[in-house]
Amino acid sequence: MHKIIFMGTPNFAVEVLDGLVKNPDLEVVAVVTQPDRPVGRKKVLKPTPVKELALEHDIKVFQPEKIRGSVEVEELKALNADLIITAAYGQFVPVDLIEAPKYGAINVHASLLPKYRGGAPIHYAIWNGDKETGISIIYMTKKMDAGDILSQHAIEIKATDDVGGLFESLAVIGKELLLETLPALFDGTIQATPQVEEEVVFSPTISKEQEQIDWSLTAQEVDNHVRAFRPFPSTYTILDGNRVKIWGGKPVNYLGNTVEIGKVVAVENNMIIVQCGNETYYGINEWQESGKKRLSIEQWLNGNKPEDIIDSVFENKK
């Protein structure tokens, strides 16, 4: 039986950890995850999803605020694990810890590396209009997401996919691909492939400024943006000085006669039709006005009239 240290934090990592603890050939001897964080108005400390699963299985949990230089590194080394597996852990793992186990450390990354090294690969794949994404199992090195590739699995990005749905799909694929890869890793028959540096693309952490919609883009690009940020961190626009979250919509055909970017030109088929760049139109079908509940436009029209919004202009991103 091989001894595993698992490092991960969100729901994506839970699926992977669940696959490891159910495998009779593996023993998860420790889990490393981010510290509990305060949530809600009462700031109640909440454990990470990975910690909750680890405790259900009586696995020892480590939660250093910053693992590099922490006392936990030596404690983890002392466990003499055969392999470290990481999945969306959220911190750089020190090299001496990576190199301690017999088989080193590997990472389950939600991308088709070398495209989208970094912490937001699924967001950028949808946002950029990519046709596919996937999972890469790679060796960990001191350089972020730069290790040799052990295995990959690609899936299509459909026109209606958002980041929330793809996170769930890729978590399952990541678990399955990892469990398929481990036997070949342990018996030494796997062939790792170096990443092509000329093809590297990065996916840095999403900033607050990136959440605002740029209506000068085409309707398809706006749609990519909304789906890439749904349900987190979400997109917004500004109307009369107030922030309005845009939760859903799609590019639509419309015969308009205006070129004013961000202008509401019509309300049709329970959608608010907005002028975008290159003479294209985006139909909003779900939004959330400031201080109010998230509503479909059909629900919104139960208490409002189309003329309340037609000819309004959403502030464009500066």
Side-chain angles (χ1 to χ4, degrees):
M1 181 176 288
H2 296 286
K3 296 166 62 177
I4 306 293
I5 293 173
F6 181 76
M7 307 176 74
T9 298
N11 286 324
F12 174 82
V14 166
E15 187 71 29
V16 179
L17 175 59
D18 185 60
L20 295 175
V21 297
K22 290 178 178 175
N23 188 307
D25 297 326
L26 305 173
E27 179 189 7
V28 181
V29 296
V31 159
V32 187
T33 188
Q34 296 278 20
D36 297 355
R37 302 294 187 198
V39 297
R41 293 181 178 178
K42 295 183 178 179
K43 303 295 182 185
V44 177
L45 285 178
K46 182 175 175 56
T48 70
V50 160
K51 180 181 178 180
E52 290 179 335
L53 181 61
L55 294 179
E56 288 178 17
H57 292 275
D58 296 321
I59 301 171
K60 188 172 184 178
V61 176
F62 295 82
Q63 294 181 279
E65 186 67 43
K66 187 175 182 181
I67 192 166
R68 182 174 292 175
S70 68
V71 296
E72 284 87 349
V73 169
E74 295 306 318
E75 294 181 57
L76 291 164
K77 286 182 185 177
L79 294 173
N80 294 315
D82 296 304
L83 177 69
I84 292 174
I85 298 173
T86 69
Y89 170 52
Q91 293 190 36
F92 283 103
V93 182
V95 174
D96 57 335
L97 181 56
I98 289 173
E99 295 178 345
K102 178 181 178 181
Y103 296 99
I106 62 174
N107 181 32
V108 182
H109 198 260
S111 74
L112 296 174
L113 290 169
K115 195 172 186 180
Y116 300 132
R117 291 179 184 176
I122 308 176
H123 292 82
Y124 281 92
I126 300 174
W127 198 4
N128 290 334
D130 289 5
K131 300 301 181 187
E132 65 176 10
T133 181
I135 290 289
S136 299
I137 310 292
I138 61 168
Y139 277 119
M140 294 186 69
T141 67
K142 63 181 180 181
K143 193 174 177 182
M144 182 181 66
D145 301 331
D148 292 353
I149 298 170
L150 295 164
S151 56
Q152 285 186 317
H153 184 106
I155 62 169
E156 178 189 5
I157 298 177
K158 299 174 183 172
T160 55
D161 279 336
D162 62 19
V163 72
L166 279 182
F167 254 103
E168 293 180 5
S169 300
L170 290 173
V172 175
I173 293 168
K175 174 186 68 177
E176 294 172 348
L177 184 62
L178 174 66
L179 294 176
E180 292 171 8
T181 303
L182 287 179
L185 175 69
F186 291 139
D187 67 22
T189 59
I190 200 161
Q191 295 291 320
T193 304
Q195 296 186 35
V196 179
E197 288 298 318
E198 291 76 14
E199 298 177 0
V200 170
V201 177
F202 290 97
S203 61
T205 302
I206 301 294
S207 68
K208 288 288 184 185
E209 291 72 21
Q210 290 176 303
E211 296 173 20
Q212 185 174 359
I213 291 174
D214 183 351
W215 296 107
S216 69
L217 299 176
T218 67
Q220 183 59 59
E221 290 169 324
V222 170
D223 185 56
N224 293 344
H225 189 190
V226 172
R227 292 185 296 109
F229 283 48
R230 186 179 65 215
F232 54 90
S234 76
T235 51
Y236 72 91
T237 187
I238 302 292
L239 180 62
D240 298 330
N242 297 310
R243 183 175 293 209
V244 180
K245 287 187 177 181
I246 305 300
W247 288 109
K250 61 181 182 180
V252 294
N253 293 319
Y254 181 79
L255 296 176
N257 57 5
T258 177
V259 292
E260 187 173 1
I261 297 299
K263 185 174 183 177
V264 176
V265 296
V267 177
E268 294 182 352
N269 301 320
N270 293 319
M271 290 188 290
I272 293 172
I273 312 298
V274 186
Q275 174 79 51
C276 299
N278 199 27
E279 299 183 11
T280 60
Y281 296 88
Y282 182 75
I284 301 168
N285 59 28
E286 188 176 7
W287 72 357
Q288 185 174 10
E289 296 175 277
S290 180
K292 297 184 179 180
K293 294 182 179 179
R294 179 172 167 175
L295 294 174
S296 67
I297 299 306
E298 182 178 11
Q299 292 170 316
W300 182 81
L301 286 170
N302 288 333
N304 297 274
K305 300 176 182 177
E307 44 267 39
D308 294 337
I309 187 73
I310 290 176
D311 289 335
S312 298
V313 180
F314 294 124
E315 182 179 304
N316 200 31
K317 184 177 182 180
K318 297 175 181 174

